[in-house]
């Protein structure tokens, strides 16, 4: 019997390919696989994934990072609201966000000029306080007293909310030092003694007094809460307030673990390593800092009980999230972040950061930090000579300059550039001035001096009043709900105690 012969469905006998054909098919497969590999790497790089950094962490065997590797193909999340709290390293975080917005051609919501560089803090935020040339925004990061409803009207629906807290003891010492000459609750204390204030806080503190928010539960106030709850109600109120804060904010960073917080932020927003590089800003000279004597931290926590409960809850929450990523993975990412910052500093400043200097020693006025009083020395940086950062007009110069630029000057520069972009985008619109009442500034006097003049010089003349609350008409179909709500009225603004 003849062996069985297999035929294809067409009825024709199957022919074995020749060695030459087999070699050609295998070569084509190899070329295809190489092409796929190259395309995949190119796609990863196109989407901003620092492949080597991610793969280093990936090899540690972290499930969370394996998931992140695939999710990194998603575009970066660019709608971000950062609640800038006081004396919490938030200026450093603001600078990071300003630079990210500029690199990605995003719009940053900035205050109308009557408010200076803050959204008329301590007034509760509303969208009328946003400069019309900075609408509709992708990013908001200037000081405000948080108002959830107004922020949700202003920002896109997919906005991710982030804020930062600091350990109450060190934060209150910083507040007392920084605002000692302007907050009346601090100013009336004999010899500017923090110990004296904490021994008898109600002797000096007036809840409804100007600037009282710096003297008690400042974090709670910044987040929109009631800083002066009765002692019997603190525990119940704190639980509800913490729960509400957790519902709104996807990430609450902790200043003492800034780099670890940035690891979580980078994962949350699908950002690159380069997007979270920073230099510390708005620091006090060591002589302006005071160590806390034994017993004072406990008194600070008791006086700021709401802030203490906020911090304890979100510090624990941060570490639960870091544990979920894996301690080894987090430590590796932090090391990689710091190495990248060292490379950036070498590229900008020729090896290491410039020496910290007092404002009087800084030659470049764009780099002089604002000084709260003669008793507190806020230090900054000056550009060294003969480095990439000293070649005006170069991209390196702009990058390095803005990396160390203080908040007031950067806000002014950003408002100018966004106003120019606004006018270029709508060259045919006709000015429509409307009657309006100016916003009465509620900035403390120490912040009004000099800052308003700086902002008046910053903004090129635009259509209608510079601090106007009515938007110039935009092309049909482009006006967002944020724009409409933010500028719906020009009536008097409600004062917040």
């Amino acid at each position: 019997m003849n062996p069985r012969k297999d035929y294809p469905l067409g009825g024709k006998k199957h022919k074995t390919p020749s060695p030459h054909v087999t070699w050609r098919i295998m070569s084509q497969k190899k070329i295809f696989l190489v092409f796929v590999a190259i395309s995949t790497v190119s796609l990863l790089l196109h989407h901003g994934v620092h492949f080597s950094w991610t793969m280093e962490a990936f090899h540690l065997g972290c499930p969370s990072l394996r998931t992140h590797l695939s999710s990194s193909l998603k575009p970066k999340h660019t709608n971000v609201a950062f609640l800038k709290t006081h004396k919490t390293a938030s200026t450093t975080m603001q600078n990071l966000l300003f630079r990210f917005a500029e690199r990605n051609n995003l719009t940053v919501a900035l205050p109308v000029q009557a408010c200076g560089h803050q959204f008329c803090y301590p007034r509760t935020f509303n969208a009328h306080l946003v400069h019309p040339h900075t609408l509709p925004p992708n990013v908001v990061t200037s000081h405000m007293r948080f108002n959830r409803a107004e922020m949700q009207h202003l920002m896109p629906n997919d906005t991710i909310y982030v804020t930062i807290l600091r350990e109450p003891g060190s934060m209150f010492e910083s507040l007392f030092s920084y605002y000692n000459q302007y907050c009346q609750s601090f100013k009336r204390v004999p010899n500017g003694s923090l110990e004296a204030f904490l021994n008898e806080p109600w002797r000096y503190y007036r809840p409804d007094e100007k600037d009282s928010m710096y003297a008690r539960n400042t974090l709670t106030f910044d987040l929109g809460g009631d800083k002066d709850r009765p002692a019997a109600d603190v525990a119940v109120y704190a639980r509800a307030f913490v729960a509400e804060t957790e519902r709104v904010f996807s990430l609450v960073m902790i200043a003492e673990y800034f780099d670890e917080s940035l690891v979580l932020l980078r994962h949350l927003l699908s950002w690159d390593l380069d997007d979270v590089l920073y230099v510390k800003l708005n620091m006090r000279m060591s002589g302006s800092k005071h160590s806390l004597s034994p017993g004072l931290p406990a008194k600070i926590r008791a006086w700021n009980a709401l802030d203490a409960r906020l911090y304890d809850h979100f510090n624990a929450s941060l570490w639960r999230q870091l544990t979920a990523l894996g301690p080894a993975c987090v430590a590796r990412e932090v090391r990689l972040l710091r190495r990248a910052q060292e490379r950036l500093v070498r590229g900008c400043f020729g090896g290491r950061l410039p020496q910290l200097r007092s404002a009087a020693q800084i030659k470049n006025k764009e780099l002089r930090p604002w000084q709260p009083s003669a008793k507190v020395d806020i230090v900054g940086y000056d550009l060294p000579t003969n480095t990439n950062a000293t070649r005006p007009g170069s991209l390196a110069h702009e990058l390095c300059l803005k990396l160390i630029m203080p908040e007031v000057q950067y806000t002014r520069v950003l408002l100018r550039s966004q106003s120019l972009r606004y006018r270029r985008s709508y060259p045919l619109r006709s000015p429509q001035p409307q009657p309006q009442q100016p916003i009465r500034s509620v900035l403390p006097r120490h912040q009004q001096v000099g800052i308003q003049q700086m902002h008046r010089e910053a903004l090129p003349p635009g259509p209608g009043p510079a601090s106007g609350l009515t938007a110039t008409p935009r092309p049909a179909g482009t006006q967002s709900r944020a724009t409409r709500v933010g500028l719906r009225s020009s009536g008097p603004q409600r004062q917040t105690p």
Side-chain angles (χ1 to χ4, degrees), residues 36-49 51 72-73:
V36 168
I38 293 173
S39 300
T40 301
V41 173
S42 299
L43 182 63
L44 288 169
L45 294 175
H46 174 73
H47 282 278
V49 180
F51 193 69
S72 292
L73 295 176

Side-chain angles (χ1 to χ4, degrees), residues 42 112 166-167 289-290 347:
S42 299
V112 293
R166 182 179 176 185
E167 190 277 317
K289 300 177 182 179
H290 304 282

Side-chain angles (χ1 to χ4, degrees), residues 118-194:
Q118 306 177 353
F119 287 107
C120 280
Y121 183 89
R123 179 180 298 169
T124 298
F125 176 78
N126 68 62
H128 298 82
L129 305 178
V130 180
H131 197 289
H133 292 184
T134 66
L135 291 169
N138 305 102
V139 175
V140 61
T141 178
S142 297
H143 275 305
M144 67 170 70
R145 188 180 186 202
F146 189 68
N147 181 331
R148 179 182 181 181
E150 285 290 313
M151 285 292 287
Q152 288 179 336
H153 281 305
L154 174 71
M155 298 299 290
N157 291 334
D158 66 342
T159 297
I160 288 179
Y161 290 80
V162 178
T163 190
I164 186 168
L165 308 180
R166 182 179 176 185
E167 190 277 317
S170 61
M171 178 182 166
F172 195 75
E173 183 277 325
S174 182
L175 286 165
F176 190 87
S177 169
Y178 200 85
Y179 295 108
N180 189 272
Q181 295 301 299
Y182 305 102
C183 174
Q184 293 301 313
S185 298
F186 295 156
K187 192 174 181 179
R188 62 173 59 96
V189 180
N191 301 317
S193 169
L194 177 59

Side-chain angles (χ1 to χ4, degrees), residues 193-251:
S193 169
L194 177 59
E195 290 84 352
F197 177 86
L198 290 169
N199 285 337
E200 299 180 278
W202 284 109
R203 180 177 178 181
Y204 309 106
Y205 176 71
R206 308 288 186 273
D208 298 326
E209 195 171 54
K210 178 176 175 288
D211 293 346
S212 66
M213 64 282 179
Y214 298 128
R216 194 181 194 199
N217 290 315
T218 307
L219 292 173
T220 300
F221 184 88
D222 287 354
L223 285 160
D226 181 357
K227 62 184 174 61
D228 294 303
R229 299 297 292 189
D233 189 37
V234 164
V236 174
Y237 180 79
R239 280 196 296 271
F241 190 67
V242 163
E244 174 65 13
T245 303
E246 202 157 37
R247 280 192 293 270
V248 175
F249 291 89
S250 299
L251 175 63

